[in-house]
Amino acid sequence: MTGRVLVLGGTGEARRLATALVADGVDVLTSLAGRVADPALPAGEVRVGGFGGAEGLTDWLRAHPVRAVVDATHPFAAVMTASAARAAEVTGVPLLRLQRPGWSEQPGDDWRWVGSLADAAAAVDGFSCVFLTTGRQGLGAFAGLTAHCLVRSVDAPEPPLPARTTVVLARGPFTVDEELALMREHRVDVVVTKDSGGSLTEAKLTAARELGLPVVLVRRPPLPAGVPTVATVDEALTWLRAGLDPTTSVD
Ligand code: NAP
């Protein structure tokens, strides 16, 4: 396969894709936002920091030609995903969106879907200990809560935070037993999560089901129109292999 591939990263899928491409001898550059102080680094080359919106990414792609871009950012990284779609449209660089499927409700679940973090804050009114697993960004939406809040994130969250907050610094994946122990220790009575999907952070949903706790799930932002989208690293590799073969073209 020929040509450099830019992977917009920050997810396990992006790291697995980079590993597979490096193993195939493909020149891979993964881009990270730089939000996490000590990120898990992918194979291949890495650049860190924003591009400066869709225009910045357009300029960057013109200055650093790549064969294709794979947007493997988190399902909730909607700004980066929109910038990638716009920059690909303007430059004509082939773009693939790699996004893992969302979670699906199982028997015994009590899931309450909401459209935003603000709606999630409203949905937990009346509960006494809210387990906030939405990440440290956007916690301001919960700042007005008077309930005890358990916040878990990789790096320390910044204010504003709910008045009665316990912070647990930890990086997943977590086992169901670990999640059960944490929820029992803090007497959690509701869990809040984004519909991130994937197995790495799924244990909290299993634990909530076992404990009979409601889960408030924030719906994903919509995918950009007109961008081919796949759900797995294998599908992304198939798309790239077809397009990176000099005898074929990518649509
Ligand atoms: P976002 O709101 O879509 O992005 C905000 C800005 O961060 C973008 O406009 C872009 O800056 C920069 N950025 C985001 N991803 C980038 C990347 N891979 N490479 C270079 N710049 C990037 O995204 P976010 O929700 O803040 O997420 C930031 C990163 O954390 C993403 O890489 C995402 O995959 C990862 N992540 C996010 C979540 C989540 O819940 N949102 C969870 C786990 C991991 P410019 O406009 O200057 O280019």
Side-chain angles (χ1 to χ4, degrees):
M1 293 197 278
T2 57
R4 167 173 269 212
V5 173
L6 173 66
V7 176
L8 302 174
T11 59
E13 285 78 9
R15 282 192 296 280
R16 290 205 301 282
L17 179 62
T19 300
L21 288 171
V22 166
D24 267 1
V26 176
D27 179 13
V28 186
L29 172 65
T30 298
S31 175
L32 301 175
R35 296 282 158 74
V36 178
D38 179 23
L41 289 177
E45 274 187 63
V46 177
R47 69 165 293 288
V48 180
F51 295 95
E55 280 184 21
L57 180 55
T58 299
D59 292 345
W60 189 94
L61 288 170
R62 286 182 173 141
H64 306 83
V66 297
R67 186 76 173 80
V69 178
V70 179
D71 171 14
T73 56
H74 190 270
F76 282 82
V79 180
M80 188 69 246
T81 289
S83 291
R86 179 80 189 123
E89 190 185 344
V90 173
T91 59
V93 175
L95 169 67
L96 180 71
R97 172 71 172 135
L98 166 57
Q99 180 168 281
R100 59 187 174 233
W103 287 312
S104 36
E105 201 163 352
Q106 297 186 25
D109 281 331
D110 174 4
W111 286 8
R112 302 167 186 196
W113 289 93
V114 294
S116 66
L117 292 175
D119 290 348
V124 298
D125 188 36
F127 286 92
S128 60
C129 182
V130 185
F131 186 16
L132 295 172
T133 70
T134 47
R136 76 196 160 113
Q137 288 177 60
L139 282 174
F142 301 94
L145 293 184
T146 51
H148 177 217
C149 291
L150 178 62
V151 169
R152 183 171 63 199
S153 63
V154 177
D155 292 320
E158 281 157 27
L161 297 174
R164 295 193 297 134
T165 297
T166 300
V167 176
V168 176
L169 295 182
R171 190 197 298 260
F174 308 100
T175 65
V176 174
D177 284 345
E178 285 167 340
E179 298 293 42
L180 283 169
L182 187 68
M183 290 186 201
R184 284 190 177 119
E185 181 191 342
H186 293 274
R187 296 194 173 84
V188 166
D189 60 354
V190 65
V191 177
V192 180
T193 179
K194 295 173 182 168
D195 179 21
S196 299
S199 57
L200 286 187
T201 52
E202 204 177 13
K204 63 191 169 195
L205 300 175
T206 309
R209 187 182 313 126
E210 286 190 19
L211 295 172
L213 301 183
V215 180
V216 175
L217 284 106
V218 182
R219 267 186 222 98
R220 292 176 167 197
L223 285 164
V227 177
T229 300
V230 295
T232 65
V233 170
D234 281 349
E235 289 170 290
L237 286 169
T238 301
W239 185 89
L240 282 168
R241 283 178 182 136
L244 295 176
D245 179 340
T247 61
T248 61
S249 65
V250 177
D251 340 284

